Amino acid sequence: MPTPSNSSTRNCNQMPPILTVEGLTKTFQMHHLGQSLMAFEDLSFTVSPGEFLLLSGPNGVGKSTLLRTLYRSYLPVAGQIRYDSREGVIDLAQAADIDIAHLRRTEIGFVTQFLTARPRVPAEDIVAEPLRLAGHSRDDALKEACHWLKTFGVKQDLWRAYPTTFSGGEQQKVNLARALILPQRLLLLDEPTASLDVGAREALVTRLADLKSQGVAMIGVFHHAADVAHLIDRDIRLKPKELSDVA
Amino acid sequence: MTALAKQPPQLVRTRPLMTLNGISKTYDDVTALDDVSAQVYPGEVLGIVGESGSGKSTFLRLMNLQETPDSGSYHLDLPDLPDNLFTLDRFERRMLCARQIGIVYQNPHEGLLMTHSSSGNVAERLLIAGERRFHVLREKAQSALEASEFPIPRMDAPPIELSGGMQQRVQLAKAIALEPAVLLLDEPTTGLDVSVQALVLDTLKRLQQERRITMVLVSHDLGVIRTMADRVMVMRRGQVVEDGLVDQVFQDPQHAYTQQLVHAKL
């Protein structure tokens, strides 16, 4: 069981928080083993617009699990995740699926290092998809997609190719272009710089700095935090405790 | 500890397009569906997974008004329709399905006249809806076949002469010819080669993006559901054991059966 500790604060961002997490607890119930495993317990913190929060701590302490719980890919068992959406405050811990899907399309983004490519869909279409789902025309979405593929250093002769055959690094660039094409209000970043080459890493950090200056709040896990050191406002350190079953 | 209960929608104020409440259906002594409810919102893709005999195809047939349940109601949020569509008679159901509910079956024999021309199969749907002008029938059939990425030079070939993937495209063209509010898909890619399966899924995904057609997709293939669906309902023995966003159900399944299902995927 990790516990959080605010280990450093650089920026006194006084804006009201966009996200307020209180008493958040996540356990995984493993029916085939007849037991539950605690991922984290009673976490509380806030994030304000334009603030960059780093989640740190050793491997397996629950950093990625926390990000996925905030995104609601994982269901929490206790606590609140109050998110100040454009349409009012909502508790993401208990929000209806349809509300979560709506927020993912419009306000909350999740950036990972892994691309979920569909077979026989060209890179440019995969990148353009979030814009198309948001109602943009195919031409506009593709134009923007090409801009971001170029920015992240994907070679032009790959734009119409299928990313399922790309190298890991190239897939990751396509994934970043897709994840960051549509400006969001809250971005969750799960090791997005891992295994990126220098050029793509610089492009990503520039994009993140740009989004931060536009007021986008970010919570991130970075294997090499030095990549984004100048962006970090606060560091939440998750501390491991002895693992225990809570069946 | 169990996951926190979900609240009713708060931000999305759109009414569900489809609302099925408390549907039960038995065949002789066998319970196919036991108090199943579902809501589908405009533009979303609801996936339904479950093993054979779980009731998922029965549920889809009820959505297509092919059958009437023992109890429960079905509402479509469209003008001039009753609160419960199961009160409609056979003719009214046929007209409603022709205009507003398209379906693609796993077996093309269920949805197509295999020895009639492909274009004629699509035109049949338009005829039921009242279109009689030959050139309009022809144009609309061609347009629907094009949207389904069917090779137009072969539009007059009967489905029996076509490959499985092409037959599914004819079914799809027939289903979308009148731009229905809902598209029901019953194992649409089962039995196809993986490469053909990918092409059919691409076509469906493109239609969903471009036309925002609301879809209900039944499949036992978790990969297909993961690729296509926004939300997923897991059925077992005629009941819904779990439902949620597709990434959540696959990454953090709550029910023992869903965990078994997800962990069994290769």
Side-chain angles (χ1 to χ4, degrees):
Chain A
M1 267 183 296
T3 53
S5 66
N6 289 6
S7 61
S8 67
T9 301
R10 187 167 76 191
N11 188 346
C12 323
N13 197 327
Q14 294 303 316
M15 292 184 76
I18 190 170
L19 193 75
T20 305
V21 175
E22 276 181 9
L24 194 64
T25 301
K26 173 64 192 163
T27 60
F28 291 100
Q29 191 170 10
M30 294 177 289
H31 291 283
H32 67 295
L33 298 177
Q35 64 183 44
S36 296
L37 186 70
M38 179 69 76
F40 52 78
E41 187 177 26
D42 199 22
L43 286 182
S44 301
F45 60 90
T46 63
V47 193
S48 295
E51 195 175 22
F52 193 113
L53 194 73
L54 178 75
L55 297 179
S56 60
N59 288 343
V61 78
K63 305 184 293 290
S64 293
T65 300
L66 172 57
L67 287 180
R68 287 178 193 176
T69 307
L70 297 176
Y71 196 60
R72 258 283 293 278
S73 293
Y74 292 165
L75 293 174
V77 297
Q80 287 194 331
I81 310 167
R82 286 196 303 279
Y83 174 71
D84 188 12
S85 82
R86 288 194 189 98
E87 295 148 89
V89 176
I90 185 165
D91 180 8
L92 302 180
Q94 291 193 273
D97 294 321
I98 194 80
D99 281 338
I100 296 288
H102 169 70
L103 288 172
R104 288 178 179 184
R105 275 196 303 275
T106 55
E107 300 195 26
I108 303 177
F110 194 99
V111 187
T112 68
Q113 52 180 309
F114 303 109
L115 176 72
T116 312
R118 284 203 310 282
R120 300 203 184 200
V121 180
E124 60 184 19
D125 284 304
I126 287 179
V127 175
E129 193 173 75
L131 287 178
R132 307 232 28 225
L133 290 173
H136 293 247
S137 72
R138 181 177 160 84
D139 286 350
D140 286 352
L142 281 179
K143 200 174 159 190
E144 190 70 9
C146 292
H147 165 72
W148 287 107
L149 284 166
K150 189 177 177 187
T151 302
F152 285 112
V154 180
K155 291 191 285 285
Q156 189 165 354
D157 49 5
L158 291 180
W159 295 356
R160 296 194 61 77
Y162 306 136
T164 35
T165 57
F166 290 7
S167 70
E170 295 297 311
Q171 284 196 7
Q172 196 182 344
K173 292 174 190 174
V174 174
N175 190 43
L176 289 176
R178 176 190 163 93
L180 296 170
I181 195 168
L182 190 67
Q184 309 278 8
R185 296 179 72 226
L186 172 66
L187 264 186
L188 306 168
L189 306 152
D190 192 2
E191 304 223 20
T193 56
S195 75
L196 275 184
D197 58 36
V198 177
R201 201 180 310 159
E202 281 172 2
L204 171 64
V205 174
T206 304
R207 175 65 170 157
L208 294 182
D210 187 32
L211 291 171
K212 179 172 156 57
S213 70
Q214 290 170 31
V216 177
M218 297 182 217
I219 306 175
V221 176
F222 287 83
H223 191 59
H224 299 292
D227 294 337
V228 289
H230 62 292
L231 301 177
I232 298 166
D233 295 309
R234 276 189 299 137
D235 177 356
I236 299 254
R237 191 160 298 155
L238 299 183
K239 286 183 179 172
K241 280 190 177 176
E242 203 170 311
L243 288 175
S244 59
D245 295 338
V246 291
Chain B
M1 293 171 88
T2 54
L4 293 168
K6 293 170 196 165
Q7 299 293 318
Q10 188 181 326
L11 302 179
V12 175
R13 295 193 175 87
T14 320
R15 289 196 302 264
L17 176 63
M18 307 171 79
T19 305
L20 292 108
N21 262 333
I23 306 283
S24 294
K25 176 79 181 169
T26 53
Y27 298 98
D28 298 324
D29 291 339
V30 180
T31 302
L33 293 170
D34 180 10
D35 193 22
V36 175
S37 299
Q39 293 187 324
V40 190
Y41 286 81
E44 77 168 341
V45 180
L46 175 71
I48 305 179
V49 293
E51 60 202 5
S52 301
S54 60
K56 52 191 196 306
S57 290
T58 302
F59 197 39
L60 205 74
R61 280 202 301 276
L62 285 157
M63 288 181 185
N64 197 39
L65 295 169
Q66 285 166 263
E67 300 194 39
T68 301
D70 304 330
S71 60
S73 66
Y74 175 15
H75 180 69
L76 266 186
D77 189 32
L78 297 170
D80 307 322
L81 290 178
D83 283 346
N84 184 2
L85 298 181
F86 294 125
T87 59
L88 295 175
D89 65 27
R90 207 173 148 193
F91 175 75
E92 291 167 326
R93 288 184 185 200
R94 193 166 180 233
M95 293 306 286
L96 174 64
C97 288
R99 292 201 171 97
Q100 299 292 6
I101 306 175
I103 187 162
V104 174
Y105 298 95
Q106 175 183 351
N107 184 348
H109 288 259
E110 279 189 70
L112 298 175
L113 297 164
M114 299 304 280
T115 53
H116 291 210
S117 71
S118 297
S119 54
N121 268 283
V122 180
E124 188 212 355
R125 165 79 40 138
L126 303 162
L127 276 165
I128 294 170
E131 182 57 64
R132 291 290 179 271
R133 293 164 297 173
F134 178 77
H135 70 283
V136 176
L137 286 169
R138 184 97 183 143
E139 276 168 21
K140 286 194 172 174
Q142 179 169 341
S143 157
L145 285 162
E146 273 169 352
S148 304
E149 292 167 8
F150 182 90
I152 296 305
R154 301 217 63 196
M155 68 185 272
D156 293 324
I160 200 164
E161 292 178 7
L162 302 171
S163 67
M166 285 301 127
Q167 289 173 352
Q168 291 307 65
R169 289 181 191 283
V170 179
Q171 277 209 79
L172 186 57
K174 182 178 174 181
I176 63 167
L178 281 168
E179 304 203 351
V182 180
L183 181 58
L184 307 175
L185 303 154
D186 189 4
E187 305 270 11
T189 58
T190 302
L192 300 178
D193 293 342
V194 281
S195 58
V196 180
Q197 174 173 321
L199 290 171
V200 172
L201 291 179
D202 283 351
T203 306
L204 288 171
K205 196 81 186 172
R206 188 180 51 72
L207 283 171
Q208 202 260 333
Q209 282 177 10
E210 287 174 2
R211 303 191 181 193
R212 306 293 296 158
I213 303 179
T214 305
M215 298 184 187
V216 180
L217 167 63
V218 163
S219 181
H220 70 277
D221 185 333
L222 300 188
V224 169
I225 295 287
R226 190 194 291 265
T227 302
M228 289 295 302
D230 301 304
R231 288 190 302 127
V232 62
M233 242 167 69
V234 183
M235 293 189 68
R236 190 190 193 202
R237 294 178 189 158
Q239 294 183 318
V240 179
V241 297
E242 182 165 356
D243 68 285
L245 292 161
V246 76
D247 59 315
Q248 179 263 301
V249 171
F250 286 165
Q251 290 181 38
D252 187 19
Q254 303 295 303
H255 192 276
Y257 173 69
T258 317
Q259 290 190 0
Q260 241 178 37
L261 201 68
V262 170
H263 294 152
K265 183 168 167 34
L266 293 174

